[in-house]
Amino acid sequence: MNSLEVRIVRLDAMEVVSTLGFGPSPEELAWKQIQTWADSYGLLSSLKAHRFFGFNNPSPAPGSPNYGYEQWMTVNQEVKPSGKIKLYRFPGGLYAVTRCQLRTITDSWKQLALWRESTPYRSGDHQWLEECLTPEIFLFETGRMPEEAMFDLYLPIVSEQA
């Protein structure tokens, strides 16, 4: 990515179900938990009706192969969380957003953070997010490699005027 394409987005408040994976590959665990729960309620028949967000929780620590990954799926308020699935109301916020494939996600995060440093925006305190735009790669047997998955990276920002 020579020229990072960034757009400013205000995410509205939304209801999400949340689950946490922990270990050397926590994303896979978190996706599987969301899949099992959502499938039991028939919510995966229309992926376009939902958005899928995630983030490290807790972040990787030096010297440990283990870390956490929290996976979200947008839902309506009528859903019933169960087991490791919790219901959460995300308040939303202002974000700088760029698109990338999973294979370049680490470099894209670095570039987005550098981009913010050269703008009038300050770093926000709200949750940073990775929105998976191709959830079928993680939820179904598509034959596509996970590295091909497309993501929008949401870097929390605050306007200088705020």
Side-chain angles (χ1 to χ4, degrees):
M1 249 190 269
N2 292 341
S3 170
L4 191 67
E5 291 186 32
V6 178
R7 63 194 191 282
I8 305 304
V9 173
R10 179 168 299 281
L11 276 181
D12 292 331
M14 58 186 149
E15 301 290 329
V16 299
V17 288
S18 168
T19 190
L20 186 64
F22 187 81
S25 297
E27 297 89 348
E28 194 176 316
L29 296 171
W31 273 106
K32 189 66 174 165
Q33 290 172 23
I34 285 284
Q35 177 190 32
T36 300
W37 175 85
D39 201 33
S40 72
Y41 288 95
L43 298 176
L44 297 181
S45 60
S46 176
L47 291 183
K48 300 283 186 220
H50 306 281
R51 295 173 78 178
F52 296 85
F53 295 91
F55 54 93
N56 290 348
N57 181 19
S59 291
S64 175
N66 299 318
Y67 63 100
Y69 196 80
E70 189 167 333
Q71 184 66 51
W72 292 354
M73 176 181 164
T74 60
V75 294
N76 61 39
Q77 293 178 332
E78 287 78 49
V79 301
K80 302 290 183 231
S82 62
K84 295 181 179 184
I85 304 294
K86 308 295 182 214
L87 186 61
Y88 174 65
R89 179 161 178 79
F90 174 66
L94 188 64
Y95 289 89
V97 182
T98 195
R99 186 161 291 173
C100 69
Q101 283 189 306
L102 181 58
R103 72 183 76 208
T104 62
I105 202 165
T106 300
D107 188 50
S108 296
W109 271 119
K110 290 176 186 174
Q111 288 184 45
L112 188 56
L114 286 171
W115 172 90
R116 195 221 31 94
E117 290 177 7
S118 66
T119 70
Y121 296 102
R122 296 187 326 257
S123 184
D125 292 332
H126 43 295
Q127 183 60 57
W128 62 272
L129 297 166
E130 300 168 345
E131 180 177 13
C132 184
L133 305 174
T134 52
E136 65 278 1
I137 291 176
F138 300 102
L139 296 170
F140 307 118
E141 295 293 327
T142 64
R144 294 175 63 192
M145 299 298 295
E147 295 80 20
E148 296 176 41
M150 295 298 299
F151 285 85
D152 274 349
L153 307 183
Y154 285 76
L155 181 71
I157 57 173
V158 177
S159 173
E160 279 290 319
Q161 288 81 12

